[in-house]
Amino acid sequence: MTSSRVKRLTLDAMLLGVAMMLSYLEAVLPLSLVIPIPGAKLGLCNVVVTLCFYAVSPLDAGIVSLMRITLTSLLFGNVSSFIFSLFGGFFAYAGMWLCKFFGDKVSYYGISVLCAALHNIGQCLAGSVLLFSFSIFSYLPLLLIFAVAFGLVTGAVITPIMRLFKNA
Amino acid sequence: MKDRIKAGDIVIIAGVILLAVTVFLLFLIPSLSDTAAVLEISCNNEKMVYTVSENREIVLESKGYTLRVCIEDGSAYVASSDCPDKTCVHTGRIDRPGKLIACVPSGITLRIIGEEDGYDFVAG
C-alpha cells in the first residue's frame, strides 16, 4: 500500500467515526426538543459527507455515507429507520453529484440546502413506500422550509472547515 | 471558490421554497373539502359510508348472521354479533384511519377511512 492510499483510508475512517458520533449526538440530543417538529434535525452528518466529497473523492463520500447509515442503524435504529436513512442519504448524495456539474456557480451553502431538501424528499419517498400512501408528502413543505434554514447552517459549518482542510 | 453565497445558491433556495409552496398548495386544495374520518362498511358486496361524528346504531345482516354496529363519539365498534367466533366484538373500538374490524363468518368488514394523522417513529 502506498502512503497516499493509507492516508485516504485513514481519512475516510476518521470521517466515518466523526459522522457516526454526530449521528449519535443528534439522536440523543434531538433538535425536536427545542423546535416541536418531529424529525427536524440539523443534518450534521452531511457536513462530513460533503467534506469527504470535495476533499477526498465522491466515491469515498458515498462509501462513508453508506457505512455511516448501516452502522448507526445497526447500533441505534431498526429496519424502518434504516430504510428512511438510506433513501435520505442516497438522495443527498445524488444532490452532491448534481452540484458537481454546477461547479463554482454554487457555494457550500447552496450544496447544503439542496442536499438537505433532497434528503427530506428521499425520506418522504421512503415513508410512502413503507406506508403505501403519499399522504406523508403533506409534511414535506414544512420539512423543506427547515431544509433551507438548516442547510444554510450546515453550509456555514462546512465553509471554514473546508478552508482548513484545503490548507492542511 | 465555494466560500461565498453565489447566484446559484439563490436559485437553489428559491427552487426549494417554490417546491415547498407547490406541495403545500397541492395538499391544501383537497383538504378544503370534507376530510373528516368516515366509517366504511362492506356487507354483502355492498359498501356503505357513515360519518363517525354522528352517534348511531346500525344493524347488519349477512350470511345468516346479525351484527349490531355502534358509532359513538368518533369511534365504531361491533356491540353484539351472533357469529360463532365473536372476533369482531372482541376487536373493540376503531377510531383512527386505516383501522379495521373484520367478521369472517358473516363477511362483513368495517374500516375507518380518512386522513392519516400522527406518526409511529422518527428516523435519523
Side-chain angles (χ1 to χ4, degrees), chain A residues 26-96:
Chain A
E26 283 195 287
V28 285
L29 291 172
L31 203 62
S32 43
L33 290 178
V34 191
I35 306 166
I37 310 287
K41 51 192 300 201
L42 270 172
L44 287 172
C45 308
N46 204 51
V47 170
V48 177
V49 179
T50 310
L51 266 174
C52 195
F53 194 96
Y54 286 98
V56 189
S57 87
L59 177 70
D60 293 55
I63 293 168
V64 166
S65 184
L66 186 64
M67 290 291 284
R68 199 274 304 170
I69 290 162
T70 312
L71 290 173
T72 46
S73 294
L74 278 173
L75 288 170
F76 321 117
N78 52 44
V79 179
S80 298
S81 69
F82 175 67
I83 294 168
F84 269 88
S85 299
L86 201 62
F87 270 73
F90 178 78
F91 272 72
Y93 183 60
M96 271 171 228

Side-chain angles (χ1 to χ4, degrees), chain A residues 48-150:
Chain A
V48 177
V49 179
T50 310
L51 266 174
C52 195
F53 194 96
Y54 286 98
V56 189
S57 87
L59 177 70
D60 293 55
I63 293 168
V64 166
S65 184
L66 186 64
M67 290 291 284
R68 199 274 304 170
I69 290 162
T70 312
L71 290 173
T72 46
S73 294
L74 278 173
L75 288 170
F76 321 117
N78 52 44
V79 179
S80 298
S81 69
F82 175 67
I83 294 168
F84 269 88
S85 299
L86 201 62
F87 270 73
F90 178 78
F91 272 72
Y93 183 60
M96 271 171 228
W97 273 104
L98 199 65
C99 286
K100 207 174 155 60
F101 294 112
F102 296 153
D104 272 352
K105 288 193 189 75
V106 291
S107 72
Y108 294 120
Y109 294 95
I111 296 169
S112 294
V113 171
L114 184 68
C115 289
L118 283 170
H119 183 269
N120 288 334
I121 292 168
Q123 292 212 314
C124 280
L125 269 179
S128 311
V129 170
L130 290 176
L131 300 170
F132 297 110
S133 153
F134 280 107
S135 59
I136 199 163
F137 270 91
S138 61
Y139 194 49
L140 187 63
L142 194 64
L143 288 175
L144 287 179
I145 298 303
F146 276 95
V148 173
F150 294 165

Side-chain angles (χ1 to χ4, degrees), chain B residues 11-96:
Chain B
V11 172
I12 287 173
I13 293 166
V16 171
I17 292 173
L18 195 69
L19 182 65
V21 172
T22 312
V23 176
F24 179 71
L25 288 178
L26 279 177
F27 276 92
L28 190 71
I29 294 160
S31 70
L32 292 176
S33 56
D34 186 34
T35 52
V38 291
L39 177 71
E40 187 193 79
I41 298 175
S42 169
C43 172
N44 296 318
N45 295 323
E46 255 181 82
K47 285 199 171 153
M48 294 164 284
V49 173
Y50 298 90
T51 59
V52 289
S53 49
E54 225 174 301
N55 292 359
R56 66 193 299 166
E57 197 178 296
I58 307 150
V59 176
L60 302 167
E61 279 176 45
S62 171
K63 296 184 184 170
Y65 300 110
T66 307
L67 273 74
R68 202 160 57 80
V69 174
C70 285
I71 298 177
E72 210 177 85
D73 305 326
S75 67
Y77 62 97
V78 179
S80 69
S81 163
D82 56 4
C83 65
D85 60 0
K86 302 269 193 296
T87 305
C88 51
V89 179
H90 296 144
T91 306
R93 284 171 187 269
I94 51 169
D95 54 0
R96 277 177 53 191

